Amino acid sequence: MIVLGLIMTAQTACFYEALDRIPLGLAVAIEFMGPLALALVTSRRLMDAVFVAVAATGIVLLTPIVGGDLDPVGLAWSRGSGLGWACFIVASKRLGKALKDGVGLALAMSVAALVMFPFTGPATLSVLAGDLSLLVSVLALALFSGAVPFLFEFLALKRMTMTTFGILIAIEPVTADLIGVIALADVLSLRGWIAVAVITVAALGATVLEHRNKDATPQIS
């Protein structure tokens, strides 16, 4: 529980440090390589490796074309976030077997909050004290970008292998792009639509394979 809380703290901090230095699309793409690399390492079937490669190709296609003057520190932070996400998957899988439902995650998030508070708590409270209307936005962000997604991921890991989860998680940037098209009138290029199709194929293939092998022995106990 403590380890998972520390992992969540490190992962989140690394991601936001990366966002301060490199483009969002690139930071997300690099971060998603962590779960995909874990899926490849934990795969035991040839088709698992194929779906990982397909999903990775889609993530690369979603990455915006950027120049070579990228901040190396930002790239390092993004890689750290990807490593943290891979560690989150492993730790969540183990903790999920020890505690029922989302109890383990709730305790781990409490640990993460306690660890981060000395660094960000006082400054955050001072800002909210000066603008209480901001509190609603902060709570909504914490709920919908933190608590709810982490809970769903934690519960999903209790029911599927880390390999399949690592592939399916690649559908998140696809979902973000589609929401942008529908709700924000964003325009997705041909390259983007190809990436959406590639990742969707990988996710569907991994789901079908997981269903066919649902009685298989878990890869890591």
Side-chain angles (χ1 to χ4, degrees):
M1 177 194 69
I2 294 175
V3 169
L4 180 60
L6 294 175
I7 289 172
M8 294 171 67
T9 302
Q11 176 198 354
T12 305
C14 285
F15 183 68
Y16 280 103
E17 289 290 343
L19 290 185
D20 279 342
R21 296 169 172 85
I22 61 176
L24 172 62
L26 183 61
V28 171
I30 295 175
E31 183 188 37
F32 272 85
M33 291 305 172
L36 289 175
L38 178 64
L40 182 60
V41 170
T42 58
S43 65
R44 295 296 181 269
R45 296 178 293 265
L46 177 60
M47 288 306 301
D48 285 333
V50 171
F51 291 136
V52 170
V54 173
T57 300
I59 293 295
V60 171
L61 288 174
L62 280 178
T63 306
I65 300 176
V66 294
D69 56 344
L70 294 171
D71 188 337
V73 176
L75 294 174
W77 280 119
S78 188
R79 295 188 189 101
S81 180
L83 177 61
W85 203 347
C87 292
F88 169 83
I89 294 172
V90 176
S92 295
K93 187 73 172 178
R94 293 182 179 276
L95 185 59
K97 294 181 178 180
L99 297 174
K100 294 182 178 180
D101 300 323
V103 174
L105 178 65
L107 295 174
M109 293 187 73
S110 299
V111 171
L114 291 174
V115 171
M116 285 296 295
F117 186 82
F119 302 99
T120 61
T124 302
L125 293 177
S126 64
V127 171
L128 293 179
D131 186 2
L132 293 181
S133 63
L134 185 62
L135 180 61
V136 176
S137 298
V138 171
L139 291 177
L141 182 65
L143 179 64
F144 293 111
S145 72
V148 172
F150 275 133
L151 176 61
F152 285 164
E153 291 175 359
F154 186 81
L155 295 178
L157 279 165
K158 294 169 70 70
R159 295 167 172 81
M160 66 174 61
T161 64
M162 292 187 292
T163 301
T164 302
F165 181 86
I167 299 172
L168 289 180
I169 205 70
I171 208 74
E172 288 192 10
V174 169
T175 304
D177 278 335
L178 293 179
I179 290 177
V181 171
I182 297 172
L184 303 177
D186 290 343
V187 178
L188 200 60
S189 66
L190 177 60
R191 172 175 169 166
W193 284 113
I194 293 175
V196 168
V198 167
I199 295 175
T200 300
V201 168
L204 290 175
T207 303
V208 172
L209 190 62
E210 174 81 3
H211 178 70
R212 291 180 178 177
N213 296 277
K214 62 181 179 180
D215 296 326
T217 303
Q219 297 165 1
I220 293 183
S221 60

